[in-house]
Amino acid sequence: MLTHRPHGIEHPYAASPDQRVPVLPLTGQSVRLGVVAPDADQVVCEWGSVELPMERAVTAAADAAALAGGDGHLSEAQAKSLGADGAWSVTTPPVLEPVKYRFHSGTEVTEWFEVSPAEWVSSGGEIRGGEGRVGNVEWLTSAEGVHRARFSFELGPDDHLVGFGERYDVLDQRGRDLDAVVFEQYKSQGVHGRTYLPMPFAHVVDGSGNGWGFHIRTSRRTWYSSDETKLTIEVALGNEPVVDLGIYEGSPTEVLKAFLDEVGRAEQLPSWVFRLWASGNEWNTQELVIARMDAHRDLSIPVGVVVIEAWSDEEGITIWRDAGYKVTADGSAHAASDFSYPPDGAWPDPKAMIDDLHARGIKVILWQIPLQKTEFTTGQVAADAEAMVREGHAVLEADGTAYRNRGWWFPQALMPDLSVQRTRDWWTAKRRYLVEDLDVDGFKTDGGEHAWGHDLVYADGKLGDEGNNLYPVHYARTFGDLLRSAGKAPVTFSRSGFTGSQAHGIYWAGDEDSTWEAFRSSVTAGLTAASCGIVYWGWDLAGFSGPVPDAELYLRAAAASVFMPIMQYHSEFNHHQLPLRDRTPWHVAELTGDDRVVPLFRSYAELRERLVPYLTEQTARTISTDRPLMRPLFFDHADDPEVWNHPHQYLLGDDLLVNPVLEPGATHWTTYLPAGDWIDVWTGEPVGDGQVTREVPLTVVPVYAKTTSWHRLAPIFDQTPG
């Protein structure tokens, strides 16, 4: 069988073996044509009237392995996702005009394909908005239409670019090349410059304390590059060659407010979300969850939330593993009374477990993913998959068949079309009993990056090029609405998103190794996300993947996380191999042999408890003023050029300045304090402003309070050693 797809699987950053590269060549550019033909001895490409013999190709598996970001339970799947047996390729002559081509091997012949070269021209579309800032406008045009717009904004020599969604590499993106497409980069996001949560929005901050910002009002892919004079932007277009721009003038807060007025802003969540969150991917039984929470109690380490990831049968993610029930052949939802739980099963009594945790003051979050497995032929998961297709709840391919996930996680799974209320209701009906009867408090809305394909078809009328980036927004909204409908706060915990995600719950920085580099990248991610209006944000402190971090990294990360919007630890699935990779403080202490870990972590968690009222108060202020909760210094001190030399420092609310210790072996740490009067929270002593260096034992993360607020903040720090 000969397989050629001009767009391939549409991985945003790599080509599949059956792809045309580039999909849209410029006039005079050659293309590489790929075919997968596992049983062929010879493959020929008919390129117009010319026959081009093809050669066996090296597959893209090596590139995919590089994208995996290192070792971990998803690495092997990622490495395989772009490989294929029987790959053939050929490089064509330069494309000067539309050309038809096809492939044949023996008696097998493919359909004809056509490629039309494109070129950048000065006319062909319309840019709406821009307020006189737009220059150098061009349109990428072929015989098939207008495909992209390209234009530029002038930049001054002292201008800084911050935003573009959650970014892991640097705070100031001036001089970087990046794009805005939702993508699951498994670890090393900062190295590769990719993100789960992009946005076509950014601040341009000048040296005067003001500046401006822009929003490209599109959910299609956009690209950005900047140099010493300008920012150049490319925008993928749909049927209408129009670019809609929003330009916002003023201070960073004024720019962010104008943007959020358009796209939505956070709503205040209950104060319990600011307590410590605990999670481990291998906590897959009721006994294990209770044991972990018992250990918190016995060691007097306060905990407010447990995230249970491995609770379900891992098939449909709706039913507790080992539960007894009758399959609903039509795929309809179960009620809580339909399930029985064997005493010797993994979860003998989920309701009693949740009630017990609630009695201890611990909230319960359950894991989700927006995919429906298809490898089963019997059972509820098979019935649900059949119903999803039969009743029109699946995202579709262009030919009307159900889309099968092209990514590496849950490959070939169906995706519910959450762009419309009808499917949102159908999807959440199967999970409603968890909220209404078992009293679950929220959902970890994991994944959301699985829609690959420009021509996927959504029920709201959008095609994939426009709808794919919006999928994680619909996903978080879906589960937030489920919780609201049951009278609960919309506590969702997502890693992916796009413009509009600001209004939908909590976000974390995604998958990362336990390294200092990942620590620094995660701080940057929090600050860039906050600059785009994400209020509730956290990370897997000290990383979740790979070997357990050493005591120093773990404690530095925990100390810093006390002063972030969400504080949580988590660990990756490791096939239950020994030694365990739990990130619980007592397990880190055991593996590292460092008896400082538990008492210090306890003191951090206790401090976090005392910070909850401050965080609650400051979050309300953030939502009413749009001044970020985890706030880069340029929001308050944009007229101070020195703040750009300290990109990992930030304000937590209006009154605390935080400077995490981000290097191993540090004994002293220097903080830049902008103009004003400051107090070292660990000594209660005034420190003035400018460069301040202090000792940083593991008990301390440098934090400074505004002198005017110290009288009400001092009790928070009185009980913590400095």
Side-chain angles (χ1 to χ4, degrees):
M1 181 177 180
L2 296 171
T3 303
H4 171 71
R5 293 177 292 181
H7 293 265
I9 62 173
E10 297 203 58
H11 187 299
Y13 300 108
S16 53
D18 60 354
Q19 189 172 334
R20 182 173 74 218
V21 182
V23 174
L24 181 63
L26 297 177
T27 300
Q29 186 176 18
S30 297
V31 298
R32 183 184 64 80
L33 300 175
V35 170
V36 174
D39 301 322
D41 294 323
Q42 183 180 27
V43 181
V44 174
C45 171
E46 294 183 53
W47 178 256
S49 60
V50 179
E51 289 199 345
L52 304 174
M54 303 187 73
E55 297 182 351
R56 293 187 185 274
V58 177
T59 71
D63 293 335
L67 291 175
D71 295 329
H73 80 289
L74 293 180
S75 296
E76 183 178 352
Q78 293 202 32
K80 290 179 178 178
S81 67
L82 296 179
D85 295 328
W88 298 74
S89 70
V90 66
T91 299
T92 72
V95 185
L96 301 174
E97 59 185 2
V99 180
K100 290 186 177 181
Y101 65 95
R102 67 178 180 178
F103 308 91
H104 63 81
S105 177
T107 59
E108 186 176 0
V109 182
T110 68
E111 64 180 298
W112 286 100
F113 302 91
E114 185 169 357
V115 57
S116 296
E119 58 184 322
W120 290 101
V121 297
S122 60
S123 62
E126 176 188 3
I127 293 186
R128 297 173 183 166
E131 279 70 47
R133 291 188 178 272
V134 175
N136 304 310
V137 179
E138 295 180 293
W139 307 88
L140 184 61
T141 305
S142 76
E144 298 175 354
V146 183
H147 303 276
R148 293 189 191 180
R150 183 166 67 189
F151 56 92
S152 64
F153 294 129
E154 287 188 10
L155 297 177
D158 298 323
D159 285 350
H160 304 269
L161 285 170
V162 182
F164 305 104
E166 183 180 47
R167 298 288 163 174
Y168 301 75
D169 47 359
V170 291
L171 180 67
D172 182 358
Q173 290 288 332
R174 181 78 180 264
R176 314 285 286 195
D177 295 337
L178 65 157
D179 67 348
V181 61
V182 173
F183 182 69
E184 181 195 356
Q185 174 62 47
Y186 175 64
K187 304 191 291 190
S188 300
Q189 296 89 2
V191 173
H192 295 287
R194 297 162 188 162
T195 181
Y196 305 95
L197 207 171
M199 294 183 201
F201 160 80
H203 299 265
V204 182
V205 187
D206 65 22
S208 71
N210 284 305
W212 56 285
F214 65 88
H215 173 212
I216 303 171
R217 298 184 179 111
T218 183
S219 54
R220 295 184 174 90
R221 193 172 182 177
T222 51
W223 297 261
Y224 308 86
S225 63
S226 56
D227 57 25
E228 63 276 7
T229 62
K230 65 183 182 300
L231 167 67
T232 300
I233 300 173
E234 290 188 23
V235 183
L237 302 173
N239 293 329
E240 188 180 14
V242 172
V243 176
D244 188 10
L245 288 178
I247 301 292
Y248 318 115
E249 304 286 346
S251 68
T253 299
E254 290 169 331
V255 167
L256 184 57
K257 175 176 173 53
F259 176 54
L260 298 180
D261 283 344
E262 286 190 22
V263 304
R265 51 178 50 82
E267 63 181 272
Q268 188 153 13
L269 298 175
S271 60
W272 58 258
V273 304
F274 295 122
R275 303 183 67 211
L276 175 66
W277 294 45
S279 179
N281 222 337
E282 297 189 340
W283 301 0
N284 66 338
T285 67
Q286 184 169 329
E287 180 181 16
L288 277 172
V289 169
I290 293 300
R292 298 299 186 268
M293 296 302 100
D294 284 349
H296 269 278
R297 178 197 61 201
D298 296 344
L299 293 170
S300 300
I301 301 174
V303 60
V305 180
V306 60
V307 182
I308 308 177
E309 293 219 353
W311 66 276
S312 75
D313 54 17
E314 287 281 336
E315 295 179 4
I317 325 297
T318 62
I319 299 168
W320 295 81
R321 183 160 58 90
D322 292 341
Y325 62 95
K326 292 182 179 179
V327 172
T328 58
D330 63 353
S332 56
H334 287 91
S337 58
D338 295 332
F339 299 109
S340 61
Y341 302 96
D344 59 348
W347 307 94
D349 196 338
K351 173 63 171 154
M353 176 188 70
I354 293 168
D355 288 347
D356 174 39
L357 293 170
H358 284 170
R360 306 184 194 202
I362 302 170
K363 301 295 184 179
V364 178
I365 308 292
L366 295 186
W367 180 81
Q368 288 291 303
I369 189 169
L371 294 169
Q372 180 71 43
K373 286 189 174 183
T374 56
E375 65 263 40
F376 300 93
T377 57
T378 60
Q380 192 61 54
V381 64
D384 289 349
E386 291 172 4
M388 183 186 291
V389 175
R390 181 181 64 248
E391 298 176 18
H393 292 299
V395 174
L396 301 178
E397 295 275 10
D399 63 5
T401 60
Y403 170 70
R404 302 296 185 100
N405 176 28
R406 300 175 190 172
W408 41 77
W409 196 22
F410 287 41
Q412 298 299 306
L414 301 169
M415 283 182 58
D417 188 345
L418 302 178
S419 70
V420 292
Q421 191 64 46
R422 172 177 172 269
T423 299
R424 291 196 286 266
D425 290 343
W426 180 82
W427 188 250
T428 55
K430 302 174 182 301
R431 296 145 173 90
R432 182 167 292 277
Y433 81 96
L434 298 168
V435 181
E436 294 187 343
D437 298 302
L438 272 61
D439 206 19
V440 165
D441 301 288
F443 292 96
K444 184 171 184 175
T445 37
D446 202 355
E449 314 90 357
H450 315 289
W452 294 5
H454 73 288
D455 54 357
L456 299 186
V457 178
Y458 291 93
D460 66 353
K462 291 182 172 61
L463 296 182
D465 66 335
E466 188 179 12
N468 293 347
N469 278 337
L470 294 176
Y471 192 90
V473 185
H474 298 316
Y475 174 31
R477 171 190 171 181
T478 296
F479 280 87
D481 286 348
L482 168 62
L483 291 157
R484 287 188 190 93
S485 72
K488 289 181 172 284
V491 177
T492 55
F493 193 40
S494 309
R495 71 179 184 188
S496 59
F498 194 72
T499 310
S501 289
Q502 293 89 341
H504 301 294
I506 303 170
Y507 293 83
W508 95 99
D511 299 342
E512 257 303 355
D513 278 318
S514 292
T515 66
W516 290 91
E517 180 182 40
F519 185 3
R520 292 187 290 270
S521 292
S522 296
V523 174
T524 300
L527 295 173
T528 52
S531 299
C532 297
I534 298 295
V535 175
Y536 295 95
W537 178 92
W539 65 306
D540 298 333
L541 68 83
F544 98 128
S545 183
V548 169
D550 62 43
E552 182 187 12
L553 172 56
Y554 184 76
L555 290 170
R556 290 296 193 196
S561 296
V562 170
F563 297 96
M564 293 178 179
I566 301 296
M567 180 184 184
Q568 65 118 18
Y569 67 77
H570 179 46
S571 54
E572 186 178 38
F573 180 68
N574 191 40
H575 305 280
H576 303 282
Q577 299 176 98
L578 296 176
L580 296 178
R581 290 184 170 179
D582 268 10
R583 266 57 171 174
T584 57
W586 53 90
H587 186 61
V588 175
E590 178 184 349
L591 284 189
T592 63
D594 195 320
D595 59 9
R596 298 172 298 174
V597 173
V598 168
L600 284 178
F601 192 96
R602 180 190 301 118
S603 71
Y604 302 152
E606 291 171 344
L607 172 58
R608 179 68 177 198
E609 291 283 297
R610 299 194 297 275
L611 270 172
V612 168
Y614 174 78
L615 291 167
T616 303
E617 165 203 289
Q618 291 297 314
T619 300
R621 187 168 299 178
T622 287
I623 293 170
S624 65
T625 65
D626 296 316
R627 289 159 56 81
L629 178 60
M630 185 177 175
R631 187 152 74 239
L633 297 185
F634 72 83
F635 270 86
D636 292 54
H637 304 281
D639 58 346
D640 182 349
E642 180 62 23
V643 301
W644 298 100
N645 295 322
H646 306 275
H648 295 112
Q649 294 185 195
Y650 56 90
L651 291 165
L652 183 67
D654 290 337
D655 303 316
L656 295 175
L657 187 148
V658 184
N659 186 18
V661 178
L662 299 173
E663 299 288 347
T667 59
H668 293 76
W669 202 248
T670 298
T671 299
Y672 175 71
L673 297 175
D677 296 320
W678 301 90
I679 298 284
D680 184 327
V681 302
W682 309 112
T683 65
E685 297 297 321
V687 290
D689 55 23
Q691 302 281 351
V692 175
T693 300
R694 65 154 296 148
E695 292 184 353
V696 283
L698 287 177
T699 54
V700 167
V701 54
V703 178
Y704 301 88
K706 289 184 178 178
T707 301
T708 54
S709 303
W710 180 238
H711 65 285
R712 62 187 183 85
L713 295 176
I716 296 173
F717 299 95
D718 281 349
Q719 302 169 56
T720 304

